Amino acid sequence: MNKANDKQILWRCFHYLRPYWKLESGIYGLMILINLINILVPQLIRWAIDSGIYGGNLQLLGQAVGGLLLLTFVKGVMIYFQGNWTELASQNVAYDIRNELVRKLASLSFSFHDRTEAGQILTRAMQDVERVRFLTGRAILRIIEGTVLIALTAVILLRMNTTLAALIIITLPLLIHRAYNFGRQFRPLSMEIQEQLGVITTQLEQNLRGARIVKSFSQENAEIDRFIDENEKWFKLSAESTRVQAVNAPMLDMIANLGTVFIIWYGGYLVIQDQLTLGELVAFTTYLAMLVRPIRLIGRIIPVLAIAASAGERIFGILDAPVEVTDSPDATPLPRLNGRVQFKDVNFTYGNKHAVLHNINFTSEAGQIVALMGATGSGKSTLINLVARFYDPTTGAVLIDGHNPQQHTIQSLRSQLGFVMQDTILFATTIRENITFGHPEATEAEIIQAAKDAQAHEFIMAMPNGYDTYVGERGITLSGGQKQRLAIARALITDPRILILDDATASVDTNTESLIQKALDRLMEGRTTFVIAHRLSTVQRADQILLLEHGQIVARGTHETLRHSSELYRQVYELQIQPEGNHGQVRA
């Protein structure tokens, strides 16, 4: 390991074992007993050869063989429980880390998700957690078990024959040095492999999610080529990893085999000179085999430490990410809102670098419709994100009914908001569960009424299983108009006080647009509504229109007043506003 904080990362990984200390105590208690049996077996073999075979004592030989069989059985039972408990403890670690990751991802602000690819998150939550799981399970057990066995074996060998033991032990520093250098070399390479795997996962996820777009533009071959390029980078890194490991393994074997050569040469000489019995020589070779096995295993596990350090760093990168929007320690729930929204000297900057909103001041009375207009990047989406407290203002305040939401719980604010966006997101579950997503305890009557108000009940009942119809990932089995009406029903059932809408309907036919408009009219009744305006009817009925340019409100008023007072408004209006009944025909 070549970073000072790698040890801290690994120690933090092991910290997840603390709740399972009873299991760990059993695991390492069995480890000690198993090692004692390992140490005892060569002595039984020596006894069987010297006193049984050469001594011509069949009874003693039988007792030695019986003892070996008994120890083998007992050891097998212990290994079974040790392996079972080790896996149970490490699986609990993975369970806890994944739960912590999901809780953290749910609490992180939009800014984190804006700059982090979904594929990278998926790789960390699955593969990186699995690597940490293996580290806290079999990997660390084998390292500690091997270390204890090496120490015990070295003591026994020195007591049996100091000179012969020294010839064996002299190879240990070489083995340890080689294993250490290998781990230091492998660490950065494993990090690159994991990062590239995240790139591949992201690209695959995007291709699956955007399959229709890829096919619509006949870009299958281009996407395949892009994936092949990234996959080739991963392959080259993995091939380099294999090469490094392939070089390391025979070097470890070569160093380890030096000990065997020394024993056969010098030990054989001592036997011939009657300074060592044959049983003792066999015991020595058995101990050497026991000594070499954990050293080789540790050599193989060293890369696991390097990989786990990389994996832990990536996992903790999420867990340690700052939550920019959170409840204050003394936050209280908001009361039932009327819906009056006031922006007071609001400025907002992304990541303290990119200024988006400048000195925003306006008030929307309860029940009013506020239409937001402006070119792409003018700050419309950021403004409504501040209402929902997906971000907090850099300076200034957003007040709702005179309350500063930063002094109240996020849940009590967002539970009184409703969202219907142009890019409607549905979950791969039933229509019923999609409608009740924000209100799981809704009654059947409430579900049906929300669907009727959203002009969705009729098409739902025409589905094979009605409200229990499975809609597929991202609602892929539904048309755009159907998905949008389900989104409206989902908003209606929560009875929100403030609505945030993107009412674009350019992708639906005239009849579907009419149904959606009726549903939106029902949804907006008596509620404060912020809407990114794309339609003539929305603009005409808005109580106030805010025209944004470069993060500033450059014009405000009703449609009629702005038509006569703002040349910029007239330009934006002509570019962005679509008259009803003039859309292309698509499936409803």
Side-chain angles (χ1 to χ4, degrees), residues 13 48 71 88 113 126 171 271 274 325 351 359 411 494 508 510:
C13 292
L71 288 178
L88 183 59
H113 297 282
M126 302 308 297
T171 62
V271 171
D274 291 327
V325 178
N359 196 33
Q411 191 277 335
T494 64
V508 299
T510 304

Side-chain angles (χ1 to χ4, degrees), residues 15 108 166 253 259 320 390 429 434 441 443-444 477:
H15 180 78
L108 284 169
D253 286 341
D320 295 340
F390 293 143
T429 183
N434 272 289
E441 63 276 10
T443 65
E444 186 71 11
T477 59

